[in-house]
Amino acid sequence: MKKLLLVSLCFLVLCVTQVFAQNRTITGTVTAKDDGLPLPGATVKVKGSNVGTQTNAAGKYTLSVPSGATILVSFVGYTTET
């Protein structure tokens, strides 16, 4: 009986930690507003953290972010967008 209780408790703890560690992978393309061309080398960051990436030659990015996070997109010569 004690073994079953211990296994159940361990399973419950593992489930709870998975709920709080929810990350999402987001993808997108950064384009210029005026002509719609992709912006290679733009910086995409999670607001308030050091997590970030840069866009590739086609302006595409992939980033793993916590649920409910805000991202910032910046590029030389453009204003930072949230």
Side-chain angles (χ1 to χ4, degrees):
M1 182 68 176
K2 289 182 181 182
K3 191 174 187 179
L4 179 63
L5 183 62
L6 182 62
V7 169
S8 298
L9 182 62
C10 289
F11 181 73
L12 179 66
V13 168
L14 288 174
C15 288
V16 168
T17 57
Q18 291 299 317
V19 168
F20 288 113
Q22 293 288 327
N23 280 349
R24 296 178 184 217
T25 300
I26 59 170
T27 60
T29 305
V30 178
T31 58
K33 192 174 187 177
D34 52 353
D35 58 6
L37 293 175
L39 295 175
T43 303
V44 182
K45 284 180 54 171
V46 176
K47 186 176 185 179
S49 76
N50 292 330
V51 177
T53 188
Q54 284 190 330
T55 58
N56 64 12
K60 297 183 184 288
Y61 67 91
T62 302
L63 187 62
S64 179
V65 298
S67 191
T70 302
I71 61 169
L72 302 172
V73 180
S74 60
F75 190 71
V76 176
Y78 289 84
T79 59
T80 301
E81 293 288 329
T82 303

